[in-house]
Amino acid sequence: MALPRRSFLGLAAGTAAATSALTFDSAAAAPLPKLSDPFTLGVASGDPLPNAVVLWTRLAPDPLKGGGMPARTYRVEWEVAADDKFSRVVRSGVASASPSQGHSVHVDAVGLEPGRTYWFRFRQGEHVSPVGRTRTAPSVQANPESLRWGVTSCQNWEAGYYNAHRHLAEEDLDFVAFLGDYIYEGKGNPNALRTHEGTDEPYSLTDYRNRHAQYRTDADLQAAHAAHPFICTPDDHEIDNNWADDIPQDPQNQTPEAFRKRRIAALQAYYEHMPFRRTQRPHGPDMQIYRAFRFGRLLDVPVLDTRQYRSDQISTLAEAEAPGRTITGEKQEKWLLRRLTDSPSRWNVLANQVMWAQNDRTAGPAESFDFDNMDGYRWQRRRVLEQFRQVSNPVIMTGDRHCTWACDLKTDFDHEGSEVVGAEFTGTSITSGGDADPVAFHKSYDPIMADSPHWRYIDNQRGYLIMEANRKQLTTQLRLVDTVTKRESKVRTEATFVVLDGVPGITEVDAAKA
């Protein structure tokens, strides 16, 4: 139901300072066509700062057909309130939704108070969006007693339903870290539980917009975004499986020019569908993805980009050891190490896409590795982990694996007595991999675990992580759903892990199968 304009945009103190600049095209002065409901993709918030948070929506009355919007720029009103009834509006303004940005809206709502929960919504014409809830970060000098956040990744549409997101939406969290594979680029499988739109993989901007829009139509994913601010970073499937810098997965089938065009289209669509600041808008094939967030003096969260600057994947262990191989590029690595070593925060938790802990795939003396993760970049891994000795409580949270791996991080994984310098929690997937077979998984991986003392816990079922930091410890819960092939599923805590302040590595593992 449309709300009266006065009740939607009642002016509040400081409103003018928060109003977004408008850049409407010349035709916008004429009456614009009326739209059917343009808020089919819901609302979201993200990248929280102490005084600001990004508010997102996209106008898409026909989401799987390019959005279904006329090629015109539209006014979108927004407001932020201190209560869910919007009786205390604290910031409001007007943003533009233009065709060049897929009619997406990215509002940097500034002038907010630190460590506060807010509610927000949008309006276009007679249509009012769903209400979202968000939260700002504590002030940089604050020392909060605790912070709690979720960790998710890998939500293949075709693999199942987003039951994990439904439960994630009900958690009490300061933010959610989404660590890659927000969409999958595979063409539709008619035998899948849910089939991807389109007849092929996405290549053009319209293709990627349609794929993102399909994912965003899911009610459970919308609920999670409406409940918490997200801090997002992509992995490979947002563009092309296992891509590396300007090299696609299959260079024999994609020319450099064709892949460059694909990368430009994919990053543009990714930006249009994520709650990023407008300063992160892509420029051609490049997008500023790595960044960091400070939550008072308790938590610092650097966010990595492990795709745009990496050396290409290799195929042998000897190549993986080659000096100069990098997954971050030199500039990002220097930024990361400076951020970590200069951090005043008690806990430094790195948001990252691919696994750092060594991950042998074969039991016994033989070795086999997946070189797309840090096992393919050993020279850099060793150098960075050695610097962890100078970092306060370093922890890495990781996506990609569709499984849970809780690991100690060592300067040299090939030597059992090597120093433990941190912990890594590789979270499982939302849906990717479908319903798991834990018996078969443990039959394969338990013998390898016996040869991998830095592995503290492994599991292959679907769900998410909940991490909570206080001044004494960081606790991680593995939250699992029973199924992703049915729309209803309970959630349970399968395992709990503890890292103590000042003690590198995982101190406690509380689980049935530890």
Side-chain angles (χ1 to χ4, degrees), residues 81-215:
D83 67 307
D84 60 355
K85 303 299 183 184
F86 288 82
S87 63
R88 291 180 291 151
V89 174
V90 297
R91 285 293 182 271
S92 61
V94 183
S96 60
S98 68
S100 67
Q101 300 303 306
H103 292 98
S104 63
V105 177
H106 299 76
V107 172
D108 197 356
V110 299
L112 304 178
E113 295 183 10
R116 287 284 305 273
T117 297
Y118 292 97
W119 287 260
F120 65 96
R121 61 187 177 185
F122 300 90
R123 174 175 172 166
Q124 200 296 309
E126 63 181 7
H127 300 288
V128 178
S129 75
V131 172
R133 181 181 62 199
T134 191
R135 188 173 295 178
T136 53
S139 69
V140 293
Q141 296 302 322
N143 191 12
E145 292 187 3
S146 66
L147 291 162
R148 193 169 189 261
W149 65 97
V151 181
T152 65
S153 67
C154 305
Q155 54 183 23
N156 191 334
W157 176 271
E158 295 195 328
Y161 300 114
Y162 295 159
N163 296 326
H165 277 308
R166 186 185 321 121
H167 291 290
L168 185 70
E170 298 171 354
E171 303 272 6
D172 181 15
L173 304 174
D174 292 283
F175 65 93
V176 171
F178 196 100
L179 304 179
D181 296 343
Y182 194 92
I183 64 165
Y184 280 70
E185 84 290 7
K187 64 181 180 181
N189 175 5
N191 298 316
L193 188 64
R194 303 194 291 181
T195 302
H196 276 145
E197 54 71 44
T199 58
D200 199 354
E201 293 188 12
Y203 293 96
S204 69
L205 178 54
T206 298
D207 292 342
Y208 278 104
R209 282 173 173 167
N210 289 344
R211 185 60 57 87
H212 273 282
Q214 182 181 40
Y215 279 59

Side-chain angles (χ1 to χ4, degrees), residues 135-456:
R135 188 173 295 178
T136 53
S139 69
V140 293
Q141 296 302 322
N143 191 12
E145 292 187 3
S146 66
L147 291 162
R148 193 169 189 261
W149 65 97
V151 181
T152 65
S153 67
C154 305
Q155 54 183 23
N156 191 334
W157 176 271
E158 295 195 328
Y161 300 114
Y162 295 159
N163 296 326
H165 277 308
R166 186 185 321 121
H167 291 290
L168 185 70
E170 298 171 354
E171 303 272 6
D172 181 15
L173 304 174
D174 292 283
F175 65 93
V176 171
F178 196 100
L179 304 179
D181 296 343
Y182 194 92
I183 64 165
Y184 280 70
E185 84 290 7
K187 64 181 180 181
N189 175 5
N191 298 316
L193 188 64
R194 303 194 291 181
T195 302
H196 276 145
E197 54 71 44
T199 58
D200 199 354
E201 293 188 12
Y203 293 96
S204 69
L205 178 54
T206 298
D207 292 342
Y208 278 104
R209 282 173 173 167
N210 289 344
R211 185 60 57 87
H212 273 282
Q214 182 181 40
Y215 279 59
R216 282 285 195 165
T217 59
D218 186 273
D220 295 323
L221 178 58
Q222 288 189 19
H225 273 294
H228 314 295
F230 272 54
I231 296 173
C232 299
T233 187
D235 191 17
D236 54 341
H237 289 291
E238 286 87 353
I239 298 181
D240 187 29
N241 183 47
N242 285 358
W243 70 282
D245 195 3
D246 58 356
I247 303 170
Q249 176 189 23
D250 50 355
Q252 70 279 8
N253 296 327
Q254 299 185 68
T255 66
E257 295 78 11
F259 183 67
R260 177 185 173 86
K261 291 180 180 178
R262 187 179 191 183
R263 175 171 162 174
I264 290 171
L267 287 178
Q268 177 64 27
Y270 179 69
Y271 164 79
E272 290 174 356
H273 289 83
M274 296 296 113
F276 288 137
R277 286 183 166 81
R278 284 173 291 178
T279 53
Q280 290 174 258
R281 179 178 168 182
H283 296 280
D286 302 313
M287 180 177 174
Q288 182 61 48
I289 292 171
Y290 70 85
R291 59 207 192 280
F293 300 90
R294 182 155 292 152
F295 295 82
R297 301 182 67 84
L298 185 62
L299 175 67
D300 198 63
V301 182
V303 181
L304 279 192
D305 175 352
T306 60
R307 288 290 163 187
Q308 290 194 96
Y309 316 107
R310 69 158 64 194
S311 307
D312 194 16
Q313 290 91 345
I314 41 74
S315 56
T316 69
L317 202 55
E319 291 174 297
E321 293 280 4
R325 284 187 52 75
T326 176
I327 203 168
T328 62
E330 182 179 359
K331 181 180 178 181
Q332 184 181 185
E333 180 185 325
K334 288 181 178 178
W335 166 85
L336 172 65
L337 292 178
R338 183 168 59 250
R339 180 82 187 193
L340 290 173
T341 55
D342 292 348
S343 170
S345 298
R346 186 179 300 268
W347 297 96
N348 290 277
V349 180
L350 180 59
N352 159 77
Q353 296 86 345
V354 296
M355 196 165 173
W356 282 62
Q358 184 164 292
N359 203 292
D360 189 359
R361 304 298 179 91
T362 304
E367 292 182 314
S368 61
F369 298 95
D370 175 6
F371 293 118
D372 183 61
N373 58 36
M374 288 300 286
D375 280 325
Y377 302 84
R378 293 182 169 216
W379 176 78
Q380 183 184 28
R381 177 174 66 187
R382 188 178 302 114
R383 188 174 66 252
V384 173
L385 290 182
E386 285 174 352
Q387 294 298 310
F388 272 25
R389 296 189 184 102
Q390 303 176 34
V391 179
S392 174
N393 295 324
V395 175
I396 298 177
M397 50 184 177
T398 299
D400 184 57
R401 285 302 306 274
H402 309 170
C403 297
T404 302
W405 251 265
C407 298
D408 291 331
L409 294 173
K410 298 184 174 184
T411 53
D412 187 345
F413 292 102
D414 291 321
H415 293 85
E416 187 172 342
S418 180
E419 180 183 0
V420 175
V421 293
E424 180 179 28
F425 296 99
T426 298
T428 185
S429 64
I430 295 292
T431 58
S432 301
D435 283 344
D437 183 346
V439 174
F441 173 81
H442 283 281
K443 182 178 180 180
S444 295
Y445 279 94
D446 283 356
I448 307 174
M449 187 172 181
D451 296 332
S452 305
H454 59 283
W455 294 7
R456 304 296 302 279

